Amino acid sequence: MYKVLLVDDEPSIREGLTTIIDWEKYSFQVMATAGSGREAIACFNEIKPDLTIIDIRMPGMTGLEVIEEIRQHEPDAHFLILSGYADFDYAKKAISFGVDGYLLKPVDEEEIIAELERIAEQLHQEQETQARYAGEDTAYREHQIEALLYDSLQGKGSKEEDSLGLHWPQYQVILLEIHATLDLQRGNEMKRKLIEAFDQKDKGIVFSYHSGLGLLIKEAVTQNTSSQNLYDELQTLLAEWNIHMYATAGEPVQSTTEIARSYTQASSLMAERFLFTEQRIKRWDEGRLSPSSAESNGMGAQADGIQEPDEVELADKLYYALDIRSSESVMRVLGEMEERLIPYHWTEQAIKTAFSQVFSLAFNKLAAANQHMQTIMQDHSVLINEVYHQFTMADLKAMAAEHLHRLIQRMGGGSTDTVMKQMIEFIQRNPGENLKLEVLAEVFNYNSSYLGKLFKNHTGESFNAFLDKVRIEKAKALLDEGLKVHQVASRVGYANVDYFHGKFKKYVGESPSAYKQSRSQSHTRETNHHDNEDE
């Protein structure tokens, strides 16, 4: 629909024109009406009508004066004159202003319809011509930008400004990485939307690059405010596609021969978008997220002396948090994983791999301890797959928290038992784990010394003494099942067999071998006794 502005100082004329014509039938829509020249100019600037129908004589400011003022800024605007005066001098002046028609009041319906049909056809041809030229120009300039970047990055030199037809005071590359479920058609529609907003309004040039879309703009993004504003504008333009978008900006440069440098900077920043959480464009002049040495020698955090995180320890903590069915503890462990894994690994792929390893170790232990829950390893597969589909670290952490919380609910929901009861039951379920009071204190969010005192007050024994007794009771059961001493030692958490011997003798009064032999002899005597009774 073409937009129409009606201007006349008589309300009856404005109302009559609005209602007498079936505007939509002729591809028009009345967007506003005005009763004076000044009001007409304000309305025109606001709605940018395709056609203005205006009375030639009005008090204060005539229609011709309105046209003359608007023409200074909008030389191609379309006007249709209405007048109650069949005055040739007015007509001549109106024609000199390039109006599209001159109609006398009272308006004849058939006559104005004929004018509307003629002007609609003219507007249609103008739009087609504009679109064709804009499209050809846009495609040409995009091709030139892509060729310039390719040649520069391949070391083949670059083109001069004249080859691009650009004589801007500065040039800046903005890169967009867009994540959404899009087919080729929708992707092209998205690109066209940006072209309409930038190329056709002379704000920049849209081009394609290997993993998204790029913008070459002349009004540089140099501050948080401007980077936020441009990001918001892009989000609004592309809102209908429900996208996830990340954007980076290279340094503004003074020559088209330097555009490749701006592009390289923006592209390098895009590799770090996994750790960038703000919803704005990340600029070239902001501090790098990763250690500078990682860029220069490829050694990452190792070169900065950052200690390699113990992924087994982190997996143990996550397993403990899941085993006691505490979503709060799970969140603390996820936070610790983020704090310890990111500074060491830095790159998106390495971080995702490290998180996957911790999850795998924890799930394997959980599955071994809960063999009746067949869904645990299925959940593990789903979680690992989702890890590699997250766009940012914040997304990964939120996804993992939600997934693990659902797992806790399937395991029976969050425990309402006291911390002491949870600790005792946990030790009894996991005597073979390398249990330490300090690690459990972190899981339960207690100071380790304070937790140790609480535990002794509750059980009458220190944590280590209680743990030893639980392990020895488990060891006795395993020896009764016929396992060898070294196998039992490993199963109940004693890596050193001699140490296990000492602990066992302390609590049982004899060595594991002697205990096993005496139990075996006792079992033989009982068997013989029952056999004699049967005879």
Side-chain angles (χ1 to χ4, degrees):
M1 291 290 171
Y2 299 115
K3 296 180 290 185
V4 175
L5 169 63
L6 295 178
V7 185
D8 198 293
D9 60 324
E10 297 183 41
S12 60
I13 299 294
R14 298 197 300 272
E15 183 178 352
L17 284 172
T18 303
T19 57
I20 195 174
I21 304 296
D22 185 357
W23 294 92
E24 291 189 6
K25 182 179 179 180
Y26 305 102
S27 302
F28 288 94
Q29 181 179 5
V30 177
M31 301 299 295
T33 63
S36 69
R38 285 299 169 196
E39 187 182 357
I41 291 173
C43 286
F44 187 97
N45 292 332
E46 180 179 352
I47 68 173
K48 301 296 182 183
D50 299 292
L51 173 63
T52 301
I53 301 176
I54 186 169
D55 187 11
I56 201 169
R57 278 197 178 183
M58 292 181 294
M61 188 176 193
T62 69
L64 294 182
E65 290 171 335
V66 170
I67 294 171
E68 187 174 15
E69 182 166 330
I70 290 175
R71 283 278 191 232
Q72 294 176 9
H73 306 286
E74 300 288 344
D76 298 324
H78 292 270
F79 294 93
L80 192 58
I81 292 293
L82 295 175
S83 178
Y85 299 86
D87 191 316
F88 185 66
D89 288 337
Y90 277 114
K92 283 195 300 183
K93 193 168 186 180
I95 292 169
S96 71
F97 285 169
V99 299
D100 293 81
Y102 186 97
L103 300 174
L104 293 177
K105 298 180 182 179
V107 177
D108 180 81
E109 183 177 348
E110 292 184 0
E111 188 176 359
I112 194 170
I113 287 174
E115 289 293 322
L116 291 177
E117 289 177 333
R118 181 179 60 80
I119 294 171
E121 179 61 27
Q122 185 178 349
L123 288 169
H124 178 69
Q125 291 178 358
E126 288 178 0
Q127 286 189 353
E128 281 194 338
T129 301
Q130 182 180 8
R132 184 172 65 254
Y133 285 133
E136 291 173 355
D137 184 55
T138 297
Y140 172 75
R141 294 204 300 175
E142 178 185 0
H143 173 74
Q144 291 294 90
I145 291 294
E146 291 173 353
L148 181 151
L149 291 175
Y150 177 81
D151 289 345
S152 297
L153 297 175
Q154 295 295 317
K156 299 178 181 179
S158 59
K159 304 178 187 306
E160 298 298 329
E161 283 88 344
D162 287 341
S163 67
L164 288 167
L166 301 180
H167 298 280
W168 297 348
Q170 58 186 350
Y171 310 84
Q172 184 180 32
V173 172
I174 308 291
L175 296 182
L176 310 178
E177 186 176 295
I178 298 169
H179 296 271
T181 304
L182 296 173
D183 54 26
L184 181 60
Q185 180 180 351
R186 290 184 178 180
N188 289 335
E189 289 173 359
M190 188 181 297
K191 186 175 181 180
R192 273 199 300 272
K193 188 86 169 183
L194 293 179
I195 288 172
E196 290 174 3
F198 288 90
D199 293 72
Q200 295 181 7
K201 293 184 179 179
D202 199 30
K203 294 170 60 178
I205 302 172
V206 179
F207 62 91
S208 298
Y209 80 108
H210 61 87
S211 60
L213 295 173
L215 292 172
L216 181 65
I217 59 174
K218 59 182 176 182
E219 294 185 9
V221 169
T222 58
Q223 301 293 332
N224 282 357
T225 301
S226 55
S227 64
Q228 184 70 65
N229 290 341
L230 180 55
Y231 184 91
D232 291 344
E233 180 183 356
L234 292 166
Q235 281 280 47
T236 300
L237 286 169
L238 305 177
E240 64 184 279
W241 288 283
N242 191 29
I243 63 166
H244 294 276
M245 182 182 75
Y246 307 96
T248 57
E251 182 180 3
V253 295
Q254 308 304 311
S255 166
T256 58
T257 60
E258 300 177 297
I259 289 174
R261 175 160 59 88
S262 183
Y263 170 86
T264 301
Q265 290 171 339
S267 181
S268 177
L269 281 178
M270 190 61 78
E272 296 186 353
R273 64 112 175 93
F274 184 69
L275 297 176
F276 187 64
T277 57
E278 297 180 54
Q279 295 294 301
R280 63 174 175 83
I281 297 172
K282 180 170 175 58
R283 302 187 312 278
W284 83 100
D285 58 343
E286 298 182 83
R288 305 286 292 184
L289 291 171
S290 59
S292 58
S293 58
E295 300 170 28
S296 60
N297 58 28
M299 294 177 64
Q302 297 95 316
D304 285 356
I306 298 175
Q307 184 178 1
E308 182 176 1
D310 187 340
E311 291 169 5
V312 173
E313 178 191 343
L314 291 170
D316 285 345
K317 289 182 180 180
L318 181 58
Y319 163 62
Y320 299 162
L322 291 169
D323 189 77
I324 64 174
R325 305 194 308 279
S326 171
S327 292
E328 184 180 342
S329 297
V330 165
M331 288 304 299
R332 284 196 294 271
V333 177
L334 287 175
E336 185 178 352
M337 290 170 63
E338 183 178 16
E339 291 174 4
R340 294 176 62 183
L341 294 174
I342 289 177
Y344 186 80
H345 294 286
W346 282 112
T347 68
E348 177 179 349
Q349 189 66 26
I351 291 169
K352 288 180 175 179
T353 298
F355 267 75
S356 296
Q357 290 174 346
V358 172
F359 291 147
S360 293
L361 291 170
F363 268 75
N364 286 336
K365 286 192 173 187
L366 195 64
N370 299 267
Q371 294 180 2
H372 60 285
M373 283 192 64
Q374 300 297 322
T375 60
I376 289 180
M377 293 314 292
Q378 294 175 356
D379 287 340
H380 167 252
S381 298
V382 172
L383 176 58
I384 298 303
N385 183 58
E386 285 297 312
V387 164
Y388 288 98
H389 284 83
Q390 301 309 304
F391 300 134
T392 68
M393 184 61 232
D395 294 337
L396 193 161
K397 190 177 175 184
M399 177 280 298
E402 182 181 353
H403 185 100
L404 296 174
H405 176 72
R406 288 199 304 268
L407 176 59
I408 287 172
Q409 295 306 308
R410 285 197 293 275
M411 293 170 65
S415 175
T416 58
D417 294 336
T418 64
V419 170
M420 290 301 103
K421 189 171 188 298
Q422 289 184 65
M423 278 188 68
I424 290 169
E425 291 180 349
F426 179 80
I427 293 169
Q428 291 171 339
R429 285 195 304 271
N430 300 278
E433 290 292 318
N434 182 25
L435 299 180
K436 297 178 181 178
L437 180 63
E438 294 76 14
V439 175
L440 286 177
E442 290 184 32
V443 173
F444 286 102
N445 200 29
Y446 273 78
N447 174 275
S448 60
S449 297
Y450 181 66
L451 184 62
K453 291 177 182 178
L454 286 179
F455 190 87
K456 188 168 185 177
N457 289 337
H458 184 78
T459 63
E461 297 178 302
S462 70
F463 172 81
N464 288 330
F466 183 89
L467 175 59
D468 281 337
K469 285 187 176 182
V470 171
R471 284 175 167 174
I472 296 305
E473 286 302 313
K474 179 66 173 177
K476 288 162 67 176
L478 293 173
L479 288 169
D480 290 343
E481 293 176 10
L483 270 70
K484 295 179 180 180
V485 173
H486 71 87
Q487 293 174 322
V488 172
S490 176
R491 290 276 291 272
V492 297
Y494 295 112
N496 187 298
V497 177
D498 292 336
Y499 185 73
F500 170 60
H501 270 265
K503 286 289 184 181
F504 193 91
K505 192 169 184 178
K506 175 183 177 181
Y507 287 103
V508 180
E510 58 183 337
S511 70
S513 299
Y515 172 84
K516 185 175 182 181
Q517 185 176 3
S518 65
R519 294 291 287 179
S520 176
Q521 291 173 350
S522 175
H523 178 71
T524 301
R525 287 195 297 270
E526 289 178 5
T527 302
N528 292 336
H529 177 70
H530 288 303
D531 289 343
N532 292 334
E533 286 182 344
D534 291 339
E535 291 176 359

